[in-house]
Amino acid sequence: MPTEPTNSLERRRVLSGMRPTGKLHLGNYMGALYNWAQLQHQYECYFFIADWHALTTDYENLSLLKDNIRDVALDFLAGGLDPELSTIFVQSDVKLHAELHVLLSMFTSLSWLERVPSYKDQQEQLREKDLATYGFLGYPLLQSADILIYQPHFVPVGQDQASHVELTREIARRFNQLYPGEFYMAEGAAPWELEAVKTKARKNSGKADKTTFSPHELIAAAPQTKLKSAYGTRTILPEPEVLLTPSPKLPGTDGRKMSKSYGNTLLMSDTEPAIRTKLKTMVTDPARVYRTDPGNPDVCPVFDLHKVFSSPEIQQTAADGCRTAGIGCIECKQWLADSAVTALAPIQERRRHYESNPTLVDEILDQGGRRAWTRADETMRQVSEVMGLRYRSTSL
Ligand code: TRP
Ligand code: SF4
């Protein structure tokens, strides 16, 4: 069935979010923020802090939540999200997400939610927490509401979130099947053509005085001889696509994937001494035991970071020096620290600017919240309409 032709003048929309779990590390930066900052130039972007999602696992421990929300906001801005280009907001400021969540919950079967891999995985990994809750089961559905309420084309996320976007697509499909939007005929169709369709639908129903028709009834009555593109229904919740973010391999100081739970991170906001200290203890090519042993940068986590932060010249010199035992690991790590500190300088400069202007951050988030609300409200009017909730005789 044809869907609404997309308006090419409207920029395509992108939405993504992050749970406020504390100051962001370089894995979060390279894996998400850095890409988001690029997307802002091409798309109409919405980026938000998922504070309700943080509550699904941390409802018992609120001591850090407020600070975490502010820290993530600071890191968003420091990392290059531009409030002039993107709508940056906090989930709980746009309460319409909760409204859509409750409406979607009406037709979401429990088995769909129980099947999402993160549900069981997280329950096993976070055994110390009681996650046998309604809210936690609903985590991916809330995420679906976060997404669908902006009717976005793309959702840039890492592989770990792909199953949540997949569920979102299933939810959208089910919604559109239950509530196909309004019936439309292509521009240029004469008024009598729609009347003819209604007459046929009336005949099909066997009720001579019928005046209102569901989109299903109109579609069934539309002349099959007519080009299919001449009529259809406007899909209210289009299925968004994952935009898998290309992210370089970014190991933490112990050589495993950089992750808060491993305690191996370098933070976007780490000071120069902190970065130098952390890198000093970073693991290297395990085969290079003595200074005189040649090493292999291809298997060294320090070198993975060089690839992200150092210039090609430094990479070349470090790789050659490593292979010939011309340099020691201490020196190699110092070069890396120099590169990382240089790369982070503009980010940290922006962070300081916003940190010293807390009311400016409030204003940015307030304005983002209002903009997001306006866009979300547009969707909710359509959703409420097709779900039979707009009962007023005069429209608001
Ligand atoms: N679940 C995501 C995470 O843990 C955060 C999130 C919530 C999200 N709602 C979203 C991401 C909507 C993308 C789109 O990082
Ligand atoms: Fe790794 Fe550098 Fe040491 Fe080689 S010299 S093993 S690349 S830290």
Side-chain angles (χ1 to χ4, degrees):
M1 190 185 301
T3 52
E4 186 184 20
T6 47
N7 178 351
S8 59
L9 291 178
E10 205 180 302
R11 270 195 310 162
R12 294 205 279 181
R13 267 182 308 281
V14 156
L15 168 116
S16 198
M18 227 186 258
R19 266 176 317 152
T21 50
K23 293 192 167 83
L24 300 183
H25 55 68
L26 297 182
N28 303 131
Y29 175 64
M30 289 312 303
L33 267 186
Y34 175 80
N35 292 296
W36 295 1
Q38 315 286 312
L39 295 170
Q40 335 175 77
H41 300 285
Q42 202 180 342
Y43 299 102
E44 179 184 325
C45 289
Y46 294 81
F47 298 119
F48 74 100
I49 300 170
D51 55 347
W52 284 335
H53 278 102
L55 281 180
T56 62
T57 51
D58 284 312
Y59 58 89
E60 278 187 301
N61 176 18
L62 309 176
S63 59
L64 299 174
L65 187 53
K66 272 186 208 171
D67 288 344
N68 286 350
I69 295 171
R70 288 203 76 89
D71 270 326
V72 172
L74 286 170
D75 283 332
F76 272 14
L77 294 164
L81 298 194
D82 180 344
E84 302 281 319
L85 295 175
S86 295
T87 300
I88 304 167
F89 64 100
V90 177
Q91 184 184 37
S92 64
D93 281 339
V94 187
K95 302 189 197 322
L96 300 175
H97 292 213
E99 185 186 356
L100 184 56
H101 181 203
V102 90
L103 293 179
L104 300 178
S105 77
M106 302 305 166
F107 59 80
T108 301
S109 64
L110 290 178
S111 65
W112 285 15
L113 296 175
E114 287 159 350
R115 246 197 281 130
V116 174
S118 58
Y119 180 59
K120 293 229 163 62
D121 290 355
Q122 290 280 90
Q123 278 188 336
E124 271 166 33
Q125 273 172 34
L126 304 173
R127 273 177 190 282
E128 70 284 4
K129 297 177 183 169
D130 177 6
L131 295 182
T133 58
Y134 180 53
F136 187 68
L137 179 65
Y139 184 114
L141 188 62
L142 178 58
Q143 183 161 350
S144 300
D146 296 335
I147 296 172
L148 295 174
I149 206 165
Y150 298 99
Q151 299 168 317
H153 302 81
F154 299 113
V155 186
V157 287
Q159 188 60 47
D160 63 318
Q161 296 296 316
S163 65
H164 294 166
V165 181
E166 199 37 58
L167 174 77
T168 304
R169 292 167 58 86
E170 279 181 75
I171 300 280
R173 229 172 288 147
R174 181 80 182 115
F175 179 95
N176 294 322
Q177 195 182 39
L178 287 165
Y179 317 112
E182 232 186 319
F183 178 82
Y184 76 90
M185 296 193 74
E187 259 177 63
W192 60 263
E193 294 188 71
L194 180 57
E195 278 317 307
V197 172
K198 287 187 178 170
T199 305
K200 179 84 190 304
R202 205 171 284 123
K203 218 188 227 165
N204 289 348
S205 74
K207 295 184 194 124
D209 56 349
K210 192 169 161 74
T211 53
T212 57
F213 302 91
S214 74
H216 286 304
E217 290 170 313
L218 292 173
I219 286 280
Q224 296 303 311
T225 50
K226 223 175 185 348
L227 269 184
K228 282 249 169 177
S229 60
Y231 62 86
T233 46
R234 284 198 172 84
T235 303
I236 294 188
L237 300 179
E239 289 176 43
E241 274 173 51
V242 178
L243 204 61
L244 270 186
T245 39
S247 50
K249 188 172 170 207
L250 210 97
T253 49
D254 60 0
R256 290 187 288 177
K257 182 181 154 72
M258 191 179 290
S259 158
K260 192 178 155 138
S261 53
Y262 294 151
N264 65 358
T265 61
L266 298 169
L267 299 179
M268 288 171 71
S269 50
D270 270 342
T271 59
E272 175 166 353
I275 289 175
R276 291 194 184 279
T277 312
K278 286 181 178 181
L279 288 180
K280 263 187 203 138
T281 63
M282 182 152 185
V283 303
T284 60
D285 171 3
R288 194 167 187 208
V289 182
Y290 300 107
R291 166 71 179 77
T292 48
D293 295 338
N296 180 3
D298 297 336
V299 300
C300 177
V302 172
F303 200 74
D304 286 327
L305 296 187
H306 266 300
K307 284 189 212 145
V308 175
F309 296 107
S310 296
S311 66
E313 295 75 38
I314 294 178
Q315 287 181 45
Q316 190 66 54
T317 318
D320 293 346
C322 177
R323 289 202 174 91
T324 57
I327 59 165
C329 292
I330 296 176
E331 197 173 7
C332 182
K333 289 171 172 183
Q334 276 165 357
W335 294 348
L336 172 61
D338 294 341
S339 304
V341 167
T342 308
L344 289 176
I347 293 176
Q348 300 195 339
E349 175 65 38
R350 275 195 295 270
R351 199 179 210 278
R352 276 192 293 278
H353 167 68
Y354 288 111
E355 247 167 359
S356 57
N357 283 294
T359 53
L360 174 60
V361 177
D362 290 345
E363 279 164 28
I364 289 171
L365 296 175
D366 283 349
Q367 196 206 31
R370 282 193 300 272
R371 278 214 298 256
W373 187 290
T374 304
R375 186 60 193 76
D377 192 46
E378 210 180 293
T379 308
M380 286 317 294
R381 281 167 191 258
Q382 300 165 21
V383 168
S384 307
E385 176 67 39
V386 296
M387 289 188 76
L389 300 168
R390 281 168 64 97
Y391 63 87
R392 293 184 153 267
S393 55
T394 53
S395 62
L396 280 181

